[in-house]
Amino acid sequence: MTRATYLRMLAAMIVLTVVISVVMLQFDWNGTAGSTEADEIDTLTDVMIVVSSFVYSIVLVMLGYSIWRFRAKPGDESDGDAVHGNTRLEIAWTLIPTVIVLVAAAYSWVILDRIEAREPDRLNVNVTAQQFAWQFEYPEQGVTSTELHVPVDRQTEFSMQAIDVIHSFWVPEWRVKKDLVPGQTTHVTATPNLEGSFALVCTELCGIGHSTMRAPVVVESQEDFDAWVADQEKDEGSEAGGGAVEDPAEEADAGEALFAEQGCSGCHTLSAAGSTADIGPALDEVLPGQSPADIETSIIDPDSELSEGFGQGIMPDNFGDSLDEEQLQSLVDYLVASTEGQGAK
Ligand code: CUA
């Protein structure tokens, strides 16, 4: 190969790299960015796209050159020349990819290190996942919620536990993602920089209700966050301070909260709760006419009697262990109250 051919191939590779990169960078691969981590990760993605375009261009140009330069002449039926090793070429094609991969790895390492650095003024949130619901506990504020509220422009550290199987924490706009593994506490941090409503998505196949395992995420100003915390505290205070929980309105509230917290709304349609999932039977249809005892049995021993069209083992059978007597009672009362006088035929 002459020097001119080398230069022409190099030029072709550079032109192709530019063309492919420009086209690939037009796509909005990750959607809206809503955290400082997202900006860093998106830049990393762009750099990787350009590097990959360069590697792809090398392959394309070499392939094109070989097809054109070494094509068989018409009527040539002979075998090709036997090819022996080419030490210089082999060293080159080992060394160059090694350098590219190492540079990419080093750059990724730097970004990861920056993303995972803890800020002293960060907010701590404990996340608990179970089939098929999320729960958020704010240890410093003494608040628990099924909605994730976080202040904007401040780092939040999520310390996460799974009760049953592996789940995965992902708010697409924040980019960061981390598994929750039973028996371990895993951590992930995010610094949201875009206010608004988002969704926390479970991104590890965790059972039949996996696709419904979402939680609302609200990113708001520190003042709005503080106001929300104060509001939650008031609610929890009234629940705890109410003495005997004989007030039916309060008990219904507790049942309604449990219905969301325990993931019931992830699988069942219940118009009173505004849930529309169809993993399990629609409660508006199957509950009317059932006694509280029947409903309780269906919660703690779901396979004992199955609704038509639903198989064994779809509903988790551990609610008898995870709910205490009082919670179970609130949940049953709530279900009775919210389906009373409906659809019974
Ligand atoms: Cu939890 Cu998928």
Side-chain angles (χ1 to χ4, degrees), residues 65-228:
Y65 176 78
S66 303
I67 289 173
W68 169 78
R69 176 75 177 73
F70 303 110
R71 68 193 186 281
K73 312 281 175 295
D76 180 1
E77 297 290 321
S78 65
D79 288 344
D81 292 338
V83 177
H84 298 282
N86 182 326
T87 310
R88 256 173 55 196
L89 189 61
E90 284 168 20
I91 289 176
W93 80 36
T94 306
L95 221 55
I96 294 173
T98 306
V99 169
I100 292 177
V101 170
L102 284 179
V103 168
Y107 179 34
S108 307
W109 185 303
V110 169
I111 299 251
L112 188 63
D113 214 41
R114 244 174 5 217
I115 286 176
E116 295 193 331
R118 302 291 195 269
E119 303 289 340
D121 70 334
R122 67 184 182 276
L123 172 73
N124 285 297
V125 179
N126 296 331
V127 179
T128 308
Q130 65 172 313
Q131 291 166 320
F132 301 100
W134 298 94
Q135 202 179 33
F136 312 100
E137 190 213 341
Y138 296 74
E140 288 131 29
Q141 289 77 10
V143 160
T144 305
S145 169
T146 52
E147 265 185 35
L148 177 58
H149 282 243
V150 288
V152 72
D153 295 327
R154 180 175 165 198
Q155 189 183 56
T156 300
E157 176 174 356
F158 301 94
S159 301
M160 311 191 292
Q161 287 184 305
I163 290 177
D164 37 31
V165 298
I166 301 177
H167 302 275
S168 192
F169 177 99
W170 186 42
V171 178
E173 289 79 3
W174 299 350
R175 304 292 188 267
V176 291
K177 189 189 267 186
K178 191 65 141 282
D179 276 8
L180 295 86
V181 184
Q184 288 182 16
T185 303
T186 53
H187 304 267
V188 67
T189 56
T191 313
N193 60 6
L194 181 67
E195 288 185 33
S197 296
F198 307 94
L200 165 60
V201 181
C202 177
T203 181
E204 181 69 56
L205 184 60
C206 55
I208 193 125
H210 159 68
S211 62
T212 64
M213 188 167 164
R214 290 165 171 253
V217 176
V218 178
V219 180
E220 58 204 355
S221 66
Q222 183 69 47
E223 298 81 71
D224 288 353
F225 174 75
D226 292 339
W228 174 78

Side-chain angles (χ1 to χ4, degrees), residues 35-50:
S35 72
T36 55
E37 292 78 9
D39 300 334
E40 303 232 35
I41 290 172
D42 289 353
T43 308
L44 176 67
T45 310
D46 289 348
V47 170
M48 292 300 180
I49 285 174
V50 173

